[in-house]
Amino acid sequence: MREILFLSFPGAQLLDVTGPFQVFATANDLARLGGRAAPYRLRHAAGAGGAVETTSGMQLLAEPAAVLREARPHTLVVAGGDGVNAAGRDADFLDLLKTGAGRAERVASVCSGALLLAAAGLLEGRRATTHWCRTAEFRRRFPTVQLEPDQIWVQDGPVWTSAGITAGIDLALALVEADEGQALARAVARQLVVFLRRPGGQSQFSPLVPEPVTAPEGGFLQLRIQATADPAADLTVPALAERAGMSLRAFSRAFLAEVGETPARWVEGMRLDAARRALEAGAASIKSVAVRSGFGDDERMRRAFLRRLGVTPEAYRSRFGNGLENRGMAAGGPRL
């Protein structure tokens, strides 16, 4: 029996714990129904133990986090949530995390829990992912970690990390598959009515470029506001450089320094966001969306969707469109 020990803290995201916890619990249920022994023993530790409040206000019962000094779990799973920043500044918490990770065969994080693994030095030189809204912060604080922001989950040796919130379910299914095989993992996914492997990456849920709001003196913010207002305009790099009154080389260099992307990549991301909003909003044809968002034709837009989001425009609309399909969420939201 593999012991799975979840580590959380005050202000953890409820689903970061309960989502993957339920995956392992369901694997136990289905194994027993099939006449087999349950493959997992599940534990939850946090703080001094007892009732620990999550970001939703719901409390979870936990053992004291100090059990990490004696426990030898097969897998240590670290949650994320609003309390991540406070936990990351707690030297005792990070010491317990490092100790527990050193005694476990496998370490995993859900959502912004990857920030805690990185703060504890467990992601140094490794590949990892986290919630899309924490990407910029993660890269700034931990430049030696190879962040892969579009991935739903990433495995690098014994360390597994996942994207935001429900991606913890995807991660747990992958762990069950690694432990017990695809048949049980698929049965768990069917029981929970989720994908065994969801299509596309997490970029389909996140904005590709932040929308400019105000235009201070200087910089390219005003230029970006104008481009965002009319994505079908001529936004080639020479045209943008001319608008800015700069040489092509100077403009490209300065834009990259200010925005963090080349002008061409920023324009493509902005147009993809415009196309996504149009697909979410109504019943315009794919071709008309491609024209209005500046791609010119639907095949060019389709290639951009596949390259940047991992899904076709049709698939995106079916999941996020404003019909009987799944409704899309507005870009942005609370920090997680």
Side-chain angles (χ1 to χ4, degrees):
M1 181 177 287
R2 298 176 179 85
E3 182 172 279
I4 312 293
L5 177 56
F6 287 80
L7 175 63
S8 71
F9 41 82
Q13 167 65 236
L14 175 66
L15 199 57
D16 283 10
V17 179
T18 57
F21 199 103
Q22 186 61 57
V23 169
F24 295 116
T26 301
N28 283 343
D29 293 340
L30 294 177
R32 292 190 191 101
L33 285 173
R36 299 167 48 198
Y40 297 110
R41 179 187 179 210
L42 303 176
R43 303 172 69 181
H44 173 227
V52 178
E53 189 163 315
T54 65
T55 55
S56 68
M58 184 176 288
Q59 295 180 333
L60 296 175
L61 292 180
E63 302 177 58
V67 300
L68 271 71
R69 300 200 186 281
E70 292 82 33
R72 289 194 175 276
H74 177 273
T75 305
L76 176 63
V77 182
V78 182
D82 286 345
V84 154
N85 290 343
R89 293 189 296 267
D90 186 334
D92 291 337
F93 179 90
L94 293 179
D95 182 61
L96 282 172
L97 173 53
K98 285 188 281 189
T99 299
R103 298 171 67 85
E105 294 184 33
R106 186 170 62 187
V107 180
S109 67
V110 180
C111 192
S112 53
L115 290 160
L116 296 175
L117 295 190
L122 301 174
L123 294 181
E124 192 71 24
R126 292 188 182 276
R127 296 164 48 247
T129 193
T130 190
H131 192 290
W132 61 262
C133 77
R134 291 280 194 162
T135 297
E137 174 189 357
F138 192 102
R139 281 179 167 153
R140 183 179 66 254
R141 291 178 56 190
F142 306 109
T144 60
V145 179
Q146 184 181 336
L147 193 66
E148 299 185 2
D150 190 42
Q151 300 302 311
I152 298 297
W153 56 265
V154 170
Q155 177 192 5
D156 190 326
V159 181
W160 301 59
T161 53
S162 70
I165 311 180
T166 61
I169 295 173
D170 301 74
L171 173 69
L173 286 168
L175 294 174
V176 170
E177 183 175 357
D179 294 339
E180 298 293 321
Q182 189 177 95
L184 181 57
R186 182 181 292 112
V188 172
R190 286 174 173 165
Q191 184 70 17
L192 298 181
V193 198
V194 296
F195 288 112
L196 177 59
R197 295 183 186 84
R198 78 170 79 184
Q202 70 166 329
S203 59
Q204 62 188 301
F205 304 97
S206 66
L208 294 177
V209 298
E211 288 195 30
V213 179
T214 59
E217 295 295 326
F220 298 115
L221 189 52
Q222 183 61 50
L223 183 65
R224 288 186 285 135
I225 289 172
Q226 294 170 353
T228 302
D230 188 8
D234 182 0
L235 301 179
T236 59
V237 180
L240 291 172
E242 183 177 352
R243 285 198 205 181
M246 301 172 68
S247 71
L248 185 61
R249 179 176 296 181
F251 170 75
S252 296
R253 185 167 55 245
F255 191 96
L256 177 61
E258 178 180 317
V259 179
E261 289 188 313
T262 66
R265 183 169 175 81
W266 181 86
V267 167
E268 182 182 69
M270 180 273 294
R271 284 173 166 164
L272 278 169
D273 282 346
R276 290 160 72 182
R277 288 191 294 271
L279 291 170
E280 292 164 9
S285 70
I286 296 295
K287 184 174 182 178
S288 67
V289 169
V291 172
R292 291 187 315 198
S293 57
F295 286 102
D297 63 75
D298 50 351
E299 180 55 31
R300 183 177 298 171
M301 184 173 76
R302 182 177 182 275
R303 291 196 300 267
F305 264 76
L306 288 171
R307 183 172 60 253
R308 298 286 293 271
L309 306 180
V311 295
T312 64
E314 293 84 357
Y316 185 88
R317 168 177 275 166
S318 72
R319 292 172 204 167
F320 300 102
N322 189 24
L324 296 179
E325 305 87 0
N326 297 333
R327 293 181 180 271
M329 296 186 300
R335 288 170 61 82
L336 301 165

